[in-house]
Amino acid sequence: MPEFNAPLRDMRFVLHEVFEAPALWARLPALADHVDANTCDAILEEAAKVTAQLIAPLNRSGDEEGAQWHSGQVTTPRGFKSAYSTYIEGGWVGLSGNPEFGGLGMPKMLAVQFEEMLYGANSSFALYSALTSGACLAIDAHASEELKSLYLPPMYEGRWAGSMCLTEAHSGTDLGIIRTRAEPQQDGSFSISGSKMFITGGDQDLTENIIHLVLAKLPDAPPGPRGISLFLVPKVLIKDDGSLGQGNAVSCGSIEHKMGIKASATCVINFDGAQGWLIGEANKGLAAMFTMMNYERLSIGIQGIGCAEASYQSARAYACERLQGRAPTGAVAPDKMADPIIVHPDVRRMLLSMKAMTEGGRAFASYVGQQLDLAKFSTEPREQEDASALVALLTPVAKAFFTDNGFDSCVLGQQVLGGHGYVREWGQEQLVRDVRIAQIYEGTNGIQALDLLGRKVIANGGASLRMFTAQVRDFASSPGKPYASELLDAVRRLEDVSDWLQARAKVNPNETGAACVEYLHLFGYVAYAWLWARMADVAQRSMEAEPAFYSAKLATAKFYFSRMLPRTLSLEHTIRAGSESLYELDAASF
Amino acid sequence: MPEFNAPLRDMRFVLHEVFEAPALWARLPALADHVDANTCDAILEEAAKVTAQLIAPLNRSGDEEGAQWHSGQVTTPRGFKSAYSTYIEGGWVGLSGNPEFGGLGMPKMLAVQFEEMLYGANSSFALYSALTSGACLAIDAHASEELKSLYLPPMYEGRWAGSMCLTEAHSGTDLGIIRTRAEPQQDGSFSISGSKMFITGGDQDLTENIIHLVLAKLPDAPPGPRGISLFLVPKVLIKDDGSLGQGNAVSCGSIEHKMGIKASATCVINFDGAQGWLIGEANKGLAAMFTMMNYERLSIGIQGIGCAEASYQSARAYACERLQGRAPTGAVAPDKMADPIIVHPDVRRMLLSMKAMTEGGRAFASYVGQQLDLAKFSTEPREQEDASALVALLTPVAKAFFTDNGFDSCVLGQQVLGGHGYVREWGQEQLVRDVRIAQIYEGTNGIQALDLLGRKVIANGGASLRMFTAQVRDFASSPGKPYASELLDAVRRLEDVSDWLQARAKVNPNETGAACVEYLHLFGYVAYAWLWARMADVAQRSMEAEPAFYSAKLATAKFYFSRMLPRTLSLEHTIRAGSESLYELDAASF
């Protein structure tokens, strides 16, 4: 049976050593009172216990049993309900929530580590609270004070959950064509009618209430994405004193039978004149929903890292135990019938690919977390603004690059186990099935790529990109940095390709879509190169304190630069091939 | 509900137009009497009917129900038994079998197309007969005349099935350490004892008997792979007149719970002093088994192509129907609420990637089929010898490159459908689960890569490789061939890298294993480039006869050269990075 243990040492390395987070926290007044290095480590250790002992043990049974739907009610798998109650007692749902309404006010950099643990332990379980945290963020940012005081405290407590209701049967990526309607009522509330699908945690038996954030159209709304409003629609109506009243006209029509995350209920949710309340301004719902969506995008990216870490742990254990064949350079364990398979170059290649991409992803997620903290808590307007621009730029990269690599890593982890990876017993096949959704939901990775290249790079003339590459150049140009020339080459490649695309997109509107997926990957590899160089820099300086740990970092950095970064060559070449070859075929000739 | 229809026009294109197979068949005496263009087309059409109407409809229900095991007996899902009897009545199991024992003697080039249809329709179903065909091949090549006459006719009929018993719990890739033993008996037979696992079709309720081909060790066998012998062990013993006698001491201990191919029973098979007969010479069992394994390797490669084709068909249909967003260059269907998603560049990129790699694979599989036919039926010793060498070289490429691309294609097909690809309904998620095994069984793709680079390229000093690249050069150097310079560049890259590796492997035994997976992919991309250039060449010359069909071939060739072949750049770079960065980390520091 596979075990999952949070990689605490690696997390501390990233937080304390690479990003020196405690120093940042100390200078941000909103964080200084809440967290320091010791609190941070205490929280991480407690989180590691909760995820390893309470949540991970329900991963396989949850997959086998799945969420069930009977006569409109969802039942989560055995053990989920009791584990969920223990979990919320720890205050985890409100970890980075607004303290004004009962949240713990912890920095995102720390929450990012916790999310990784949660997904690594049990992706289905993690989703139930991930949606709540995101919904709280949108409510906190856009709802009225009255709604905030009524809804946020029980949501941060985890007694009530959140959901995100966007997709309809005919409308997924294209939200402009949704049909759910909102009719204004005398009392200022709205009557919501329509059917939403693919609603993660749309129903469950874990919480007393579920607060749906629903996109709908007002009667006089303009067509398309500028006519969408956001509503708060509770499953159970709330009395003025905050206690539960009668049921709202919200029902769960069915749940999906999916490839993975089977313990997470993916629901059809029907609103039949349900009472709801407007969040933010009329017809500006998409922007308000994006507060939640951007949160979820980073979170789902982290699902990729968590699953990859879990897969790595199991593959590493297997590779050290499984005896098969002999090392090419001669027997390593001559007293045994065969050597452990970790002696074989191709097994090492697979494990190192997983390790390099997972640790690179963890550093990148922490960096995005840092920028989120600056955007939220910095007292210097310029710093805050820059951080917000970086978050906008990097969120699609985080979502898509983490999950593409998370999927590839889990597939590699499964491959290390051979036939044993394909059967249920070792957990690898479940990780592949569970992580696969992360490339699809919260905006497919193709949509993330289009967002990155079209909106975040081309639309602002590369301004945010230059802010990012300037940081990379600054690092690489400082004296004595490892991999400086490789890094400068890589960042120049990214800049050149970006300039070229900027020019091409003006001539042919198909170019952005033709290049964007490869462009996002190119961006991701360059960003990871920067982070691996930073990690190597720290490791070089700290070597004496803990030689085994730091030399592993140096070895992994070396592997990344020699065997992963060269992928940028083909990506550049493919991008420069342009869109022409995509449009030679009529739709009918495919 | 997804439909599957064999791509008959594309198959005829490859067989008749690209490879001019009927002309080859006419000059080989063993085939000339059995098959010509008309017979070939009639067989393909009948095969398309059987797979679309009889076998594909059982694919999803077979997955949902799965093979079941109760008290030592395997039950296949509802409908399998009756479909299997109709299927064997058509004589399909013996399609390319030896006519002396009741096979139909059809060329492998034709059988290859049929196998693709079978896997595309239903991989689990396909496996039950794929193992029989392979077992027949090994029996026909290595067993005594007596065993052949007794076993081959009912196996070609499909009344009896075959299985391949290699793996044991502690011994998968490393067969030298198997423990199953064979004790000689007075009557010339052997008593076989041991436990085998991961036995595809090791038990089922479709056939009257199952003929296990079992690797075991004789009492005086030398250690390692040179002490392995091959035995024929029937589930039910056969009387001298060929009728069924009493049960043999063979039992099915359990079946695996797997990620996919759930309707295929993957069994633990226990031999408790079962009666068996030696096939071929004592201690030379591995070589004899390789006759079957090489057959299965190509066949499993073709599973990759079949699943990819099925995924492509469903993704194409979805992309033409699903309305979402507008084309970047302006609405294509302004009267509808949105355009079909096939207008989007990234959707086209995904579909064209699938199409280019699947059709490239089909051409490559047909080419390997052609070489197998020459190796078996040519009357010119030199031609026969060369073909055998090419088959040995190309089999690992076919197995691994087809299945790596088959998996990637199914993942892309799933991605085209977004959330609808992740739920059961559209069949895409099943294809991903089903095709994943093909990268693992019959020797993992890492093992195929080691076989290619270590045994088939380096061990013979590149002789077989030069035979292959000479063909590519001949084509590219002929006047007027499309993509000639791209192809010459690509083949030069392959040759240079091969020479470089040849030299490196002498210095450091880790280099082969460090480079082999990327090398196999480099080889595959170059081979597909050659085949796409050949297809483009035929299409250019035939254009007027059927412009829509041939211009689609030209467009796909263009896509392949502009957007897929550039992957060779990174592969070369990664290969040349060498093994060093794989060995900087102690096993304990992973």
Side-chain angles (χ1 to χ4, degrees):
Chain A
M1 273 292 287
E3 271 187 20
F4 173 77
N5 288 297
L8 284 179
R9 179 68 189 90
D10 290 311
M11 289 174 165
R12 285 200 311 268
F13 171 67
V14 169
L15 282 180
H16 298 315
E17 301 171 59
V18 179
F19 292 108
E20 297 173 346
L24 171 68
W25 301 337
R27 84 164 164 85
L28 300 176
L31 293 175
D33 288 348
H34 289 87
V35 63
D36 60 14
N38 288 337
T39 338
C40 165
D41 289 354
I43 291 176
L44 288 178
E45 276 179 33
E46 188 56 29
K49 263 188 224 156
V50 168
T51 47
Q53 293 166 16
L54 182 74
I55 298 171
L58 297 171
N59 193 39
R60 178 170 162 190
S61 57
D63 177 62
E64 288 176 17
E65 189 179 337
Q68 305 290 331
W69 180 93
H70 294 292
S71 346
Q73 301 285 330
V74 169
T75 317
T76 55
R78 258 177 294 256
F80 269 53
K81 202 168 174 166
S82 128
Y84 185 82
S85 2
T86 310
Y87 169 71
I88 66 172
E89 277 165 28
W92 297 107
V93 179
L95 186 66
S96 53
N98 185 349
E100 207 184 319
F101 301 101
L104 297 180
M106 287 295 148
K108 185 69 191 173
M109 275 190 101
L110 174 54
V112 152
Q113 319 304 323
F114 176 57
E115 286 176 63
E116 184 197 320
M117 298 182 201
L118 263 186
Y119 285 112
N122 189 331
S123 284
S124 288
F125 188 96
L127 286 167
Y128 289 108
S129 63
L131 272 294
T132 308
S133 307
C136 288
L137 214 61
I139 294 171
D140 192 33
H142 305 287
S144 66
E145 288 303 314
E146 200 185 338
L147 290 176
K148 288 202 255 188
S149 339
L150 207 52
Y151 288 92
L152 285 178
M155 290 178 80
Y156 284 142
E157 278 177 56
R159 285 193 293 116
W160 302 355
S163 98
M164 179 162 67
C165 299
L166 288 76
T167 303
E168 301 177 7
H170 69 292
S171 160
T173 296
D174 186 355
L175 289 168
I177 55 177
I178 59 164
R179 292 183 188 138
T180 298
R181 310 202 64 81
E183 297 282 343
Q185 305 296 297
Q186 295 285 351
D187 63 356
S189 73
F190 294 80
S191 167
I192 313 289
S193 298
S195 182
K196 297 284 184 180
M197 72 183 296
F198 293 157
I199 309 308
T200 300
D203 194 41
Q204 32 80 354
D205 57 359
L206 305 175
T207 61
E208 298 163 15
N209 203 357
I210 301 173
I211 311 307
H212 302 287
L213 298 199
V214 184
L215 293 183
K217 301 201 125 199
L218 291 164
D220 55 353
R226 282 173 199 169
I228 297 176
S229 303
L230 179 61
F231 298 88
L232 180 158
V233 187
K235 177 182 175 183
V236 180
L237 292 166
I238 309 305
K239 296 184 193 156
D240 290 344
D241 65 357
S243 65
L244 297 176
Q246 62 183 55
N248 204 351
V250 177
S251 60
C252 175
S254 61
I255 62 173
E256 304 293 339
H257 298 280
K258 310 187 297 298
M259 184 186 197
I261 53 164
K262 292 183 188 234
S264 165
T266 307
C267 304
V268 169
I269 298 291
N270 299 314
F271 300 94
D272 301 299
Q275 195 176 13
W277 288 265
L278 186 68
I279 297 184
E281 288 178 53
N283 299 330
K284 297 203 169 158
L286 211 49
M289 191 54 124
F290 256 104
T291 305
M292 178 168 188
M293 279 160 72
N294 280 329
Y295 173 89
E296 301 300 345
R297 285 178 175 186
L298 176 58
S299 180
I300 291 311
I302 294 168
Q303 182 185 0
I305 303 172
C307 290
E309 172 66 29
S311 177
Y312 177 73
Q313 290 185 15
S314 143
R316 176 182 58 192
Y318 186 86
C320 291
E321 277 167 26
R322 174 76 171 174
L323 305 177
Q324 209 79 179
R326 290 295 182 191
T329 45
V332 163
D335 51 321
K336 297 203 173 133
M337 66 174 176
D339 289 339
I341 61 171
I342 200 164
V343 303
H344 299 299
D346 190 52
V347 171
R348 290 180 157 248
R349 177 189 65 84
M350 294 191 277
L351 289 172
L352 278 164
S353 302
M354 300 173 78
K355 185 174 170 66
M357 297 312 280
T358 305
E359 295 185 17
R362 182 174 302 127
F364 191 94
S366 303
Y367 174 71
V368 178
Q370 183 191 50
Q371 299 307 312
L372 278 163
D373 288 333
L374 286 169
K376 196 167 172 184
F377 300 120
S378 174
T379 50
E380 299 166 30
R382 176 64 193 273
E383 184 179 59
Q384 200 168 29
E385 206 177 287
D386 285 358
S388 296
L390 282 173
V391 167
L393 177 74
L394 301 179
T395 297
V397 183
K399 194 280 184 181
F401 199 59
F402 294 174
T403 60
D404 283 349
N405 288 306
F407 179 70
D408 289 350
S409 284
C410 292
V411 169
L412 285 176
Q414 184 180 32
Q415 194 72 19
V416 169
L417 275 75
H420 296 277
Y422 196 69
V423 299
R424 188 188 281 166
E425 193 181 353
W426 287 81
Q428 290 283 2
E429 66 87 28
Q430 183 188 344
L431 286 166
V432 173
R433 289 186 290 103
D434 284 355
V435 79
R436 179 70 182 92
I437 187 60
Q439 299 172 288
I440 297 174
Y441 62 9
E442 293 310 334
T444 64
N445 285 2
I447 291 298
Q448 304 299 327
L450 210 49
D451 178 47
L452 170 70
L453 181 55
R455 292 204 201 112
K456 308 297 174 59
V457 173
I458 290 178
N460 67 25
S464 315
L465 176 73
R466 279 189 298 274
M467 202 187 300
F468 177 73
T469 55
Q471 294 195 18
V472 181
R473 285 189 173 284
D474 279 356
F475 173 84
S477 314
S478 308
K481 296 301 178 192
Y483 300 108
S485 72
E486 290 89 339
L487 197 50
L488 286 170
D489 279 353
V491 82
R492 191 175 310 117
R493 171 165 296 129
L494 175 64
E495 289 167 337
D496 289 351
V497 166
S498 305
D499 290 346
W500 183 84
L501 281 168
Q502 193 99 30
R504 293 272 293 196
K506 285 180 193 147
V507 182
N508 181 346
N510 285 326
E511 293 296 325
T512 309
C516 62
V517 166
E518 280 90 357
Y519 181 81
L520 186 144
H521 280 233
L522 174 61
F523 194 120
Y525 281 112
V526 174
Y528 281 25
W530 172 51
L531 293 160
W532 268 115
R534 289 182 67 171
M535 291 192 273
D537 182 38
V538 173
Q540 272 177 354
R541 283 185 278 116
S542 316
M543 184 59 75
E544 280 178 29
E546 206 180 335
F549 179 78
Y550 293 111
S551 57
K553 294 284 169 265
L554 287 182
T556 312
K558 179 165 180 179
F559 174 82
Y560 182 82
F561 278 94
S562 11
R563 300 197 49 127
M564 307 303 282
L565 190 60
R567 294 184 182 179
T568 52
L569 296 174
S570 297
L571 292 169
E572 178 184 7
H573 221 83
T574 305
I575 291 167
R576 290 187 189 267
S579 68
E580 202 190 333
S581 70
L582 300 177
Y583 283 91
E584 302 235 325
L585 219 56
D586 290 340
S589 300
F590 266 78
Chain B
M1 273 290 288
E3 272 186 21
F4 173 78
N5 289 296
L8 284 179
R9 179 67 189 91
D10 289 312
M11 289 175 166
R12 287 199 310 268
F13 171 68
V14 169
L15 281 181
H16 298 317
E17 301 171 59
V18 179
F19 292 108
E20 298 173 345
L24 171 67
W25 300 338
R27 86 165 164 82
L28 301 176
L31 293 174
D33 289 346
H34 288 87
V35 63
D36 59 15
N38 289 337
T39 338
C40 164
D41 289 354
I43 291 175
L44 288 178
E45 277 180 31
E46 189 56 30
K49 265 188 224 158
V50 168
T51 47
Q53 294 167 14
L54 181 74
I55 299 172
L58 297 172
N59 193 39
R60 179 169 160 190
S61 57
D63 178 61
E64 288 177 17
E65 189 178 338
Q68 306 291 330
W69 181 93
H70 293 292
S71 347
Q73 301 286 330
V74 169
T75 316
T76 56
R78 260 176 296 256
F80 269 54
K81 201 165 174 170
S82 128
Y84 185 81
S85 9
T86 309
Y87 169 72
I88 66 171
E89 278 166 26
W92 296 108
V93 180
L95 188 65
S96 53
N98 185 349
E100 208 184 322
F101 300 102
L104 295 180
M106 288 295 148
K108 186 69 192 175
M109 277 190 99
L110 174 55
V112 152
Q113 318 304 322
F114 176 58
E115 285 174 64
E116 184 196 319
M117 298 183 200
L118 262 186
Y119 285 112
N122 189 330
S123 285
S124 288
F125 189 96
L127 287 168
Y128 289 109
S129 62
L131 273 293
T132 308
S133 306
C136 288
L137 215 61
I139 294 171
D140 192 32
H142 304 288
S144 66
E145 287 302 312
E146 201 185 335
L147 290 174
K148 288 202 252 186
S149 338
L150 206 53
Y151 288 92
L152 285 178
M155 291 179 80
Y156 284 142
E157 278 177 57
R159 285 194 295 118
W160 300 355
S163 97
M164 179 160 70
C165 299
L166 287 75
T167 303
E168 301 175 9
H170 69 291
S171 158
T173 295
D174 187 355
L175 289 169
I177 55 177
I178 59 166
R179 291 180 190 143
T180 299
R181 310 202 63 81
E183 296 282 342
Q185 306 296 296
Q186 294 286 352
D187 64 356
S189 72
F190 293 80
S191 169
I192 314 290
S193 297
S195 183
K196 297 287 183 176
M197 74 184 295
F198 294 157
I199 309 308
T200 300
D203 195 38
Q204 32 81 356
D205 57 359
L206 305 174
T207 61
E208 299 162 14
N209 202 357
I210 301 173
I211 312 308
H212 302 288
L213 298 199
V214 185
L215 292 182
K217 302 200 127 200
L218 291 166
D220 54 354
R226 284 176 197 166
I228 297 175
S229 305
L230 179 61
F231 298 89
L232 181 157
V233 187
K235 176 182 176 185
V236 181
L237 293 166
I238 309 306
K239 297 183 192 160
D240 289 344
D241 65 357
S243 64
L244 299 175
Q246 63 184 53
N248 203 353
V250 177
S251 60
C252 175
S254 61
I255 62 175
E256 303 293 339
H257 298 281
K258 310 186 298 294
M259 181 184 198
I261 54 163
K262 293 186 188 235
S264 165
T266 306
C267 306
V268 170
I269 298 290
N270 300 314
F271 300 94
D272 301 299
Q275 195 176 12
W277 288 267
L278 185 67
I279 297 183
E281 288 178 53
N283 297 330
K284 297 203 169 157
L286 212 50
M289 191 54 124
F290 256 105
T291 304
M292 178 168 187
M293 280 161 71
N294 280 327
Y295 172 90
E296 301 300 344
R297 285 178 173 185
L298 176 58
S299 181
I300 289 313
I302 294 168
Q303 180 185 0
I305 302 173
C307 290
E309 172 66 29
S311 177
Y312 177 73
Q313 290 185 17
S314 142
R316 175 182 61 193
Y318 186 88
C320 291
E321 277 168 25
R322 175 75 171 174
L323 305 177
Q324 209 80 179
R326 292 295 183 190
T329 47
V332 163
D335 52 321
K336 299 201 172 131
M337 65 173 177
D339 290 339
I341 61 171
I342 200 164
V343 303
H344 299 300
D346 190 51
V347 172
R348 287 180 160 250
R349 178 190 65 83
M350 293 191 277
L351 289 173
L352 277 163
S353 302
M354 298 172 79
K355 186 174 168 66
M357 297 312 279
T358 305
E359 295 187 15
R362 182 175 301 127
F364 191 93
S366 303
Y367 175 71
V368 179
Q370 184 190 52
Q371 299 308 312
L372 278 163
D373 288 333
L374 286 170
K376 197 167 171 185
F377 299 121
S378 172
T379 49
E380 296 166 32
R382 177 64 192 274
E383 184 179 58
Q384 200 168 29
E385 206 177 287
D386 286 358
S388 297
L390 282 172
V391 167
L393 176 74
L394 301 178
T395 297
V397 183
K399 194 282 182 180
F401 199 58
F402 295 173
T403 59
D404 283 349
N405 288 305
F407 180 70
D408 289 350
S409 284
C410 291
V411 169
L412 285 174
Q414 183 180 33
Q415 194 73 18
V416 168
L417 274 76
H420 296 278
Y422 195 69
V423 299
R424 189 188 281 167
E425 193 181 351
W426 288 80
Q428 289 284 3
E429 65 88 27
Q430 184 188 344
L431 286 166
V432 173
R433 290 187 287 105
D434 284 355
V435 77
R436 178 69 182 95
I437 187 59
Q439 300 172 286
I440 297 172
Y441 61 9
E442 295 308 334
T444 64
N445 285 1
I447 291 298
Q448 304 298 326
L450 211 49
D451 178 46
L452 170 69
L453 181 56
R455 290 203 203 114
K456 307 296 174 60
V457 173
I458 291 177
N460 67 27
S464 315
L465 175 73
R466 281 190 296 275
M467 203 186 302
F468 177 73
T469 55
Q471 294 194 20
V472 182
R473 287 190 171 280
D474 279 356
F475 172 85
S477 314
S478 308
K481 295 302 179 192
Y483 301 108
S485 72
E486 290 89 340
L487 198 49
L488 286 170
D489 278 355
V491 81
R492 192 175 310 115
R493 172 165 295 128
L494 176 63
E495 288 166 338
D496 290 352
V497 167
S498 305
D499 289 347
W500 183 83
L501 281 168
Q502 193 99 31
R504 294 271 292 195
K506 284 179 194 147
V507 181
N508 181 345
N510 285 327
E511 292 296 325
T512 308
C516 63
V517 166
E518 281 89 356
Y519 180 81
L520 186 144
H521 280 232
L522 174 61
F523 193 119
Y525 281 111
V526 174
Y528 281 25
W530 172 52
L531 293 160
W532 268 115
R534 288 182 67 172
M535 291 192 273
D537 182 39
V538 173
Q540 275 178 351
R541 284 186 276 115
S542 317
M543 185 58 77
E544 281 178 30
E546 206 179 334
F549 179 79
Y550 293 111
S551 56
K553 293 286 168 266
L554 287 182
T556 313
K558 182 169 178 176
F559 174 84
Y560 182 82
F561 278 94
S562 9
R563 299 193 53 124
M564 306 303 283
L565 190 59
R567 296 184 181 177
T568 51
L569 297 174
S570 296
L571 291 169
E572 178 184 6
H573 222 84
T574 306
I575 292 167
R576 289 187 189 269
S579 68
E580 200 191 335
S581 70
L582 300 177
Y583 283 91
E584 302 234 325
L585 220 57
D586 289 342
S589 299
F590 265 79

